[in-house]
Amino acid sequence: ISIAIGAAFIALYTAFRLQNKHSSLVVLTKLASAVVLGGAISGMHYTGMAAAHFAPHSVSLAGDATGLSHLTLAAIVAQVTFLVLIITLATSAFDSYFAIENAKLAASLQAANERLQGIAYYDHLTGLPSRLLLEDYLNNTISRAGRNRTLFACLFIDLNKFKPVNDTFGHRVGDELLVAVARRLQNCVRKEDIVARIGGDEFVVVLSKVVRESDVLAINEKILETIEQVFHIENHTIAISCSIGISLYPRDGESADILVAHADKAMYQVKPKGGPAVSK
């Protein structure tokens, strides 16, 4: 009994710990655990047989009791054992097959989930964060700034006279212009900042760490100058500009929606002029 319990525990524990692993070494270890389990059965049997004592010249009556000869009984036991082994191997094969299929299904579901997250959180044209990811980023930035008592800025950017570009050169050129604008905006900010596209030709820049308002105005001027440089797209030379509204945390609001709304309002105050403005 001790041999059976001890060896079976070792074999089953090893197999259980390695059931979701599939390297060559793991396969060999699983085979070794199977051998240990077989050793438990054999060890219990032969230990029991070694401890058994039979009277001299005793004869087994198993065959007489069943009405079968010794050879027939042995053949039946062998066939049943072989059948059990075949069923066990088939069950193991099916289990392995379904485990692999489940792993493939889980991987495909994870990939699909990542694609859906990419669609939800990133703009398909420019690759910039979308409105949803911008909201999450703003909420995290607000929480961090509130704890550390620091400032950050929200810049609402709208391209001036973008519609005539689509009307004159077509939507394909307009799309490529948006991609080029997104690339320039990213080059104007730091790694810890974020540039998001929230609609047609509207972008939002969040400057996560601000010491003074003059720093924000300096980056604002840099964006204006960068966007005003001509774009060369499909043999077309395109010159555009942008209008920018700025809101500061916590002066202009303490929530993501309010900060974006104030920056949007400030942008529309200067939209006819085409220049920057700070939310009042």
Side-chain angles (χ1 to χ4, degrees):
I1 292 174
S2 298
I3 292 173
I5 294 176
F9 175 80
I10 294 173
L12 295 175
Y13 178 78
T14 304
F16 177 77
R17 290 295 300 271
L18 302 175
Q19 63 179 346
N20 295 323
K21 301 178 181 179
H22 305 285
S23 67
S24 300
L25 180 61
V26 169
V27 172
L28 293 176
T29 307
K30 289 180 179 180
L31 291 176
S33 68
V35 172
V36 172
L37 188 59
I41 298 172
S42 300
M44 180 180 63
H45 170 75
Y46 286 107
T47 301
M49 290 300 294
H53 296 281
F54 300 98
H57 308 294
S58 60
V59 178
S60 172
L61 300 178
D64 298 335
T66 57
L68 301 173
S69 66
H70 297 291
L71 292 178
T72 303
L73 184 61
I76 291 174
V77 171
Q79 291 173 3
V80 171
T81 302
F82 182 75
L83 181 62
V84 170
L85 289 175
I86 292 297
I87 293 174
T88 302
L89 290 174
T91 303
S92 177
F94 277 112
D95 181 68
S96 177
Y97 170 78
F98 285 118
I100 294 174
E101 291 298 316
N102 287 337
K104 291 180 180 178
L105 179 61
S108 64
L109 288 175
Q110 182 178 0
N113 185 50
E114 291 176 353
R115 288 195 296 270
L116 289 175
Q117 286 184 344
I119 294 173
Y121 284 108
Y122 292 92
D123 176 54
H124 72 281
L125 177 63
T126 62
L128 294 177
S130 66
R131 183 186 294 271
L132 187 59
L133 184 55
L134 171 66
E135 183 177 353
D136 288 344
Y137 182 85
L138 273 173
N139 289 330
N140 292 331
T141 305
I142 289 170
S143 298
R144 184 171 59 252
R147 290 192 305 268
N148 301 330
R149 298 183 181 278
T150 56
L151 307 176
F152 73 88
C154 180
L155 282 64
F156 197 105
I157 303 171
D158 184 78
L159 301 182
N160 297 325
K161 299 181 180 179
F162 175 75
K163 187 176 183 301
V165 174
N166 277 333
D167 296 339
T168 303
F169 303 109
H171 289 281
R172 186 174 66 181
V173 173
D175 289 344
E176 293 188 17
L177 176 60
L178 290 173
V179 173
V181 168
R183 192 178 301 116
R184 289 191 184 184
L185 289 175
Q186 287 178 306
N187 292 332
C188 289
V189 300
R190 303 159 299 183
K191 291 183 179 181
E192 61 267 26
D193 302 327
I194 187 174
V195 180
R197 182 188 178 210
I198 62 172
D201 59 342
E202 295 178 335
F203 300 85
V204 171
V205 174
V206 179
L207 305 177
S208 59
K209 294 180 181 179
V210 173
V211 178
R212 58 186 66 89
E213 186 175 313
S214 59
D215 297 334
V216 181
L217 295 177
I219 296 178
N220 185 89
E221 290 297 328
K222 181 180 179 181
I223 293 175
L224 289 172
E225 294 174 0
T226 301
I227 299 301
E228 287 177 356
Q229 296 176 10
V230 296
F231 294 84
H232 299 282
I233 299 175
E234 293 189 1
N235 298 322
H236 301 295
T237 300
I238 301 174
I240 61 172
S241 62
C242 65
S243 299
I244 304 177
I246 302 171
S247 62
L248 294 173
Y249 173 89
R251 188 195 68 186
D252 299 319
E254 297 186 3
S255 70
D257 293 339
I258 293 177
L259 286 170
V260 173
H262 283 179
D264 187 16
K265 180 180 178 181
M267 183 275 297
Y268 275 106
Q269 290 176 356
V270 298
K271 182 67 174 176
K273 304 176 183 178
V278 178
S279 176
K280 300 297 184 183

